[in-house]
Amino acid sequence: MMSMRSQAARAGGASDGVVFVDGKATVTLHKDDVVTMSNVPAGASYSIRQNTSVMPTWYTQRSAEHVDGIIAADGRHEALVTNEYHTSGSWTPTAHKEFINGTLTARQFEFELLENGSAIAATSNDADGNVQFTTIEYTSPGKHTYIIREKDGGNPFIVYDTADYEITVTLTDNGQGQLTATVNNAITITNRMMGPLPQTGGVPNRNPMIIGLAFMMMGLLMAYSTAAYVRRYRW
């Protein structure tokens, strides 16, 4: 008697049966299925091979044990073939940039992506305000939490967005080797260009330095005019 067992990383159904052709048996097994072949004569040799050409692409054969041998009298032989399930997926972190009172240009602002407190990627915006990081690859389902934040560009006339934006990615396995990524929210990062100083009494409040320079020039002109007048009409 001989039995063959199949193991895999995912659940499956029962055996689809055994077909003998010219002394060969073709068996289809799923996870944890067992097929038993009785009345195999002692001394008969056996060789078991898995047809990997028809195996779904999300499985690979990891090991094959006791797949070659000779049946002993009243002996029991068990072959074990183990397959490994593979799944994969990806997600591209994105955000949108708003610039109030300013004009966006490509690569104007810089951003970083953090996981567990460490920066794992950096990027900048395009002229339309799109912020896109490099794609992240995954090989197992689960949840991942990231932080997207803007770097301070140091421009004193821009109020930068200092918030840490948290985003959670949930990866779901569809059972056919594919992970689907879903995110909990969309992110908009907003900066503001500082406007002119507020007006008082209906008169524009100009820059004090410019006003001071104007008065200084007026004073110099008046002093020059007075000196010229005295020199011209002095008795």
Side-chain angles (χ1 to χ4, degrees), residues 47 49 69 85 215 220 233:
S47 180
R49 296 293 181 268
Y85 177 76
F215 276 110
L220 290 173
Y233 295 98

Side-chain angles (χ1 to χ4, degrees), residues 1 40-43 71-77:
M1 181 173 67
V40 179
I71 302 297
D74 299 326
R76 178 184 177 90
H77 296 257

Side-chain angles (χ1 to χ4, degrees), residues 37-61:
M37 290 173 279
S38 303
N39 301 320
V40 179
S45 62
Y46 68 90
S47 180
I48 298 173
R49 296 293 181 268
Q50 180 171 230
N51 186 0
T52 57
S53 65
V54 297
M55 185 185 301
T57 56
W58 48 89
Y59 283 105
T60 57
Q61 180 174 308

Side-chain angles (χ1 to χ4, degrees), residues 36-233:
T36 300
M37 290 173 279
S38 303
N39 301 320
V40 179
S45 62
Y46 68 90
S47 180
I48 298 173
R49 296 293 181 268
Q50 180 171 230
N51 186 0
T52 57
S53 65
V54 297
M55 185 185 301
T57 56
W58 48 89
Y59 283 105
T60 57
Q61 180 174 308
R62 187 171 65 185
S63 63
E65 303 174 35
H66 313 297
V67 293
D68 296 289
I70 298 176
I71 302 297
D74 299 326
R76 178 184 177 90
H77 296 257
E78 181 173 294
L80 175 64
V81 178
T82 302
N83 293 335
E84 186 171 4
Y85 177 76
H86 301 275
T87 186
S88 63
S90 63
W91 170 67
T92 302
T94 60
H96 185 71
K97 183 64 187 175
E98 295 285 348
F99 190 19
I100 299 175
N101 297 331
T103 301
L104 271 175
T105 58
R107 298 180 296 277
Q108 187 174 13
F109 301 106
E110 295 183 348
F111 311 86
E112 58 184 358
L113 179 71
L114 297 91
E115 184 178 22
N116 299 324
S118 299
I120 61 173
T123 190
S124 58
N125 64 282
D126 65 14
D128 295 322
N130 299 309
V131 178
Q132 180 172 307
F133 294 88
T134 54
T135 299
I136 302 175
E137 303 291 339
Y138 303 94
T139 57
S140 61
K143 288 186 178 182
H144 297 262
T145 300
Y146 301 93
I147 294 292
I148 294 179
R149 69 164 62 136
E150 181 179 13
K151 296 181 180 180
D152 190 334
N155 189 327
F157 300 103
I158 296 177
V159 179
Y160 291 89
D161 193 332
T162 60
D164 285 350
Y165 291 94
E166 183 176 287
I167 186 168
T168 299
V169 182
T170 302
L171 299 158
T172 305
D173 189 351
N174 70 351
Q176 296 184 344
Q178 295 179 341
L179 293 173
T180 301
T182 56
V183 296
N184 62 334
N185 64 326
I187 293 175
T188 299
I189 303 173
T190 304
N191 288 358
R192 180 174 58 85
M193 175 68 76
M194 295 176 63
L197 296 174
Q199 299 181 2
T200 58
V203 179
N205 186 1
R206 305 299 185 186
N207 189 308
M209 181 177 293
I210 296 176
I211 295 174
L213 288 174
F215 276 110
M216 183 181 297
M217 293 298 296
M218 291 176 61
L220 290 173
L221 288 173
M222 291 177 64
Y224 175 79
S225 299
T226 302
Y229 177 82
V230 171
R231 286 196 300 270
R232 184 173 182 180
Y233 295 98

